[in-house]
Amino acid sequence: MRLFLIVLVLSLLSVAAFANEAPKLNSTFKDWSVLTRKIDGDLLCYVRNFAEDKSPQNVNHGDVAFFVGTWKSGAAQEQPSLMTGYTMRSKTPPKAKVGNRTITMFSVGNEAFVESEKDERKLVRAMRKGALLRVEAMSERGTATAYEFSLSGITAALRKANQLCS
């Protein structure tokens, strides 16, 4: 079931042209946007923020965004993910850090997910309490990358996304 949800999120968040409905911006809370999208009769409510800092600066990262998604059907609740503009090295797992909390992710192509629901909850809880999310990853070519996302507005954005999908 977990792999199914991950594949579903991959297909829905990253390729708008193939989705049933384009994402709709609902609201913005400081640095986080709340979006919704209808997919095969289900509603996906998610929050998104783009990286405010990308390292190293001399490489093309493409768009880099962090998401937390919830399905109205209950298929997933506050599922965090990272999307980059390049393919990540699957053998070198990305790491998401908020304060002293580090959660290991796994990558599939240009997206990364948290393996267990328990770790998803830990990461989202830390995001609600923190000021900065840092994600370190490795490109398929072997370039070590790091991204920083402001967490300003994340709590209000998640609250709104959860209301929309309750």
Side-chain angles (χ1 to χ4, degrees), residues 60-124:
N60 181 5
H61 300 266
D63 288 332
V64 178
F66 203 87
F67 301 90
V68 180
T70 294
W71 291 88
K72 187 167 181 77
S73 67
Q77 186 76 25
E78 294 187 343
Q79 184 177 52
S81 64
L82 170 76
M83 183 170 42
T84 63
Y86 59 88
T87 301
M88 287 179 270
R89 183 179 285 177
S90 61
K91 292 182 181 179
T92 307
K95 295 192 183 314
K97 299 177 182 183
V98 179
N100 63 1
R101 168 84 59 196
T102 299
I103 301 291
T104 300
M105 304 176 81
F106 69 94
S107 62
V108 178
N110 71 328
E111 295 199 68
F113 299 91
V114 177
E115 183 74 36
S116 73
E117 289 179 34
K118 180 180 174 184
D119 283 343
E120 285 178 345
R121 287 190 301 272
K122 285 180 184 177
L123 178 56
V124 173

Side-chain angles (χ1 to χ4, degrees), residues 1 27 33 39 41 46 48 50 54-55 63 71-72 91-92 103 105 108 111 115 124 130 136 141 151 154-155 157-158:
M1 178 67 168
S27 51
S33 298
I39 311 293
Y46 60 100
R48 175 191 70 201
F50 290 100
K54 301 175 185 177
S55 298
D63 288 332
W71 291 88
K72 187 167 181 77
K91 292 182 181 179
T92 307
I103 301 291
M105 304 176 81
V108 178
E111 295 199 68
E115 183 74 36
V124 173
E136 298 173 354
R141 294 180 179 179
L151 294 174
I154 185 73
T155 299
L158 286 170

